[in-house]
Amino acid sequence: MSKSIVERAYYLMKLGRVFEERAKEEYMKGNISGFLHLAIGEEAVHVGATLAFGKGDIFVHYREHVWALAKGMSPKSLMAELFGKKTGVSKGKGGSMHLYEPLLNFYGGNAIVGAQIPHAVGAAYARKYLGHTEGVLVAFGDGATNAGNYYESLNMAALWELPVLFVNENNLYAIGTRIDRASAVKELYKKAKEFMPAERVDGMDFFQVYDAVSKAKEYIETEGKPYYIEFLTYRYEPHSMSDPGDYRSPRELKVFHDKDPVEFLKREGIKRGLFDENFVKEIDERVEEEIEEAVKFALESPEPEDAELFTDIFCEVCTDVVP
Ligand SMILES: Cc1ncc(C[n+]2csc(CCOP(=O)(O)OP(=O)(O)O)c2C)c(N)n1
């Protein structure tokens, strides 16, 4: 893995972390309303998978800010979207759960658990039908693996040999329900093994995430068949800002805090001689400034006009969609 990729990863993971910590603060101040789901703790999966997947299409759930930043969305248009402002990526009418930018091959932002899975399979079908070689990545939580459309999607992807990479972010909880109370099969990758190659990988370790997704991407695009990775990860915050999150033990939180993916990458990057303390200091300062500017931009941006409610509801001629 090249030094520049690891440097980029540290920048993006730190950007995602500080963005979300700041979004939490702004929510508490009342500048952000509606739902806000934070992915603090899951950055290695979001950044590692996106960097390894390159330009391909990505479909995700509602815990999506870090995916969007890693895909190239600007912190300004993302923060403005959370503030419901006209300058937001979805012109202020989507909010945190509905980020969408076809020019970045970023297709959501889905509030319905598992909804993105059949969408991604459809996109992979289109890719194959049109003779494209690029694959499609779809991310979803452990809770989504108990939904009916999840199985239908795995079945179709395997049956029709579609180039789709299923990324399961197993953070152990679906809102407050722990995985062992919701899933009869605890090792989630085993639920996919009958359909396609499937494995389990440490989702707190950027290097392992990047390597696993690189290998899987190669497989789906050369074989033209689906692949599945279950990443073991953790969210440090409650499910959303409206969840008190009192269902997890301090001991469990400590175990995962000790494996903090941003701190891990910082330590490993320095240990492996990929960057040094000065680089980390520079990036940390740059990120603080960028997020400060993003908040200022969001605060100063105008509200959308009422007529905005009726625009971009669907596209008749999708000229801005990358084929
Ligand atoms: C079809 C559907 N059922 C229920 C909900 C309510 N709901 C929102 S998030 C969630 C839990 C999903 O957990 P998981 O898939 O593990 O993702 P995570 O939040 O852990 O990232 C539920 C049940 C929903 N949004 N959509």
Side-chain angles (χ1 to χ4, degrees):
M1 191 182 311
S2 77
K3 179 176 155 59
S4 63
I5 287 183
V6 183
E7 286 179 348
R8 177 105 189 115
Y10 181 72
Y11 163 70
L12 288 170
M13 281 170 62
K14 188 76 192 188
L15 187 72
R17 173 68 58 96
V18 178
F19 181 95
E20 291 211 315
E21 286 171 347
R22 192 58 195 270
K24 183 180 170 186
E25 269 175 54
E26 294 302 316
Y27 189 95
M28 305 297 266
K29 285 188 213 161
N31 287 330
I32 297 173
S33 49
F35 281 100
L36 184 69
H37 303 86
L38 303 173
I40 297 176
E42 302 189 18
E43 296 91 345
V45 177
H46 298 195
V47 171
T50 307
L51 289 183
F53 207 68
K55 290 208 168 77
D57 297 337
I58 292 193
F59 291 73
V60 297
H61 38 60
Y62 45 81
R63 205 177 292 289
E64 53 173 331
H65 313 133
V66 187
W67 285 103
L69 290 169
K71 208 58 181 139
M73 198 172 281
S74 87
K76 281 185 177 169
S77 58
L78 179 45
M79 193 63 88
E81 188 56 42
L82 266 49
F83 276 58
K85 296 295 182 76
K86 188 178 172 171
T87 51
V89 66
S90 304
K91 297 180 190 159
K93 64 185 174 205
S96 164
M97 296 203 276
H98 303 284
L99 308 174
Y100 182 85
E101 181 48 278
L103 294 173
L104 294 171
N105 293 38
F106 184 75
Y107 298 99
N110 280 276
I112 300 300
V113 172
Q116 70 280 15
I117 311 177
H119 294 173
V121 170
Y125 183 92
R127 288 273 182 211
K128 181 162 179 155
Y129 183 78
L130 296 169
H132 299 164
T133 50
E134 295 89 352
V136 175
L137 181 155
V138 59
F140 47 90
D142 42 284
T145 71
N146 299 316
N149 65 5
Y150 166 82
Y151 291 98
E152 294 178 39
S153 300
L154 293 188
N155 185 52
M156 282 181 179
L159 184 67
W160 293 339
E161 302 191 340
L162 303 177
V164 54
L165 172 58
F166 294 92
V167 169
N168 174 204
E169 290 176 47
N170 181 3
N171 61 16
L172 307 180
Y173 290 89
I175 310 187
T177 307
R178 204 170 199 282
I179 178 170
D180 31 311
R181 294 179 56 224
S183 180
V185 176
K186 316 291 180 241
E187 292 165 285
L188 299 183
Y189 74 101
K190 290 190 177 164
K191 294 202 211 181
K193 245 187 167 349
E194 289 293 324
F195 297 94
M196 61 194 73
E199 61 179 317
R200 182 183 251 193
V201 171
D202 181 354
M204 306 303 263
D205 176 340
F206 165 79
F207 297 96
Q208 288 194 43
V209 174
Y210 186 88
D211 286 345
V213 172
S214 302
K215 194 181 74 183
K217 178 180 161 67
E218 172 80 16
Y219 176 87
I220 65 168
E221 294 183 354
T222 52
E223 300 288 324
K225 290 183 192 169
Y227 197 98
Y228 190 104
I229 309 174
E230 173 193 358
F231 287 110
L232 282 180
T233 184
Y234 203 71
R235 60 168 160 78
Y236 298 149
E237 295 294 319
H239 170 73
S240 73
M241 293 301 291
S242 57
D243 170 16
D246 49 7
Y247 41 83
R248 300 181 296 178
S249 70
R251 194 175 141 263
E252 181 178 291
L253 281 161
K254 179 166 177 347
V255 167
F256 285 97
H257 271 293
D258 288 347
K259 293 178 163 183
D260 184 315
V262 179
E263 292 303 313
F264 175 82
L265 181 60
K266 187 197 290 184
R267 275 200 311 275
E268 275 302 296
I270 293 173
K271 197 163 105 195
R272 297 185 193 192
L274 295 160
F275 48 67
D276 59 16
E277 301 276 2
N278 281 340
F279 169 83
V280 169
K281 190 167 170 282
E282 251 172 58
I283 294 295
D284 290 358
E285 283 170 9
R286 183 174 139 200
V287 162
E288 291 292 340
E289 273 167 34
E290 269 190 81
I291 300 303
E292 202 50 53
E293 278 170 25
V295 172
K296 189 167 180 288
F297 175 78
L299 274 170
E300 290 172 359
S301 290
E303 303 279 342
E305 288 92 31
D306 292 350
E308 186 54 46
L309 280 172
F310 303 98
T311 64
D312 297 336
I313 304 305
F314 67 96
C315 59
E316 282 173 58
V317 183
C318 300
T319 47
D320 61 344
V321 175
V322 177

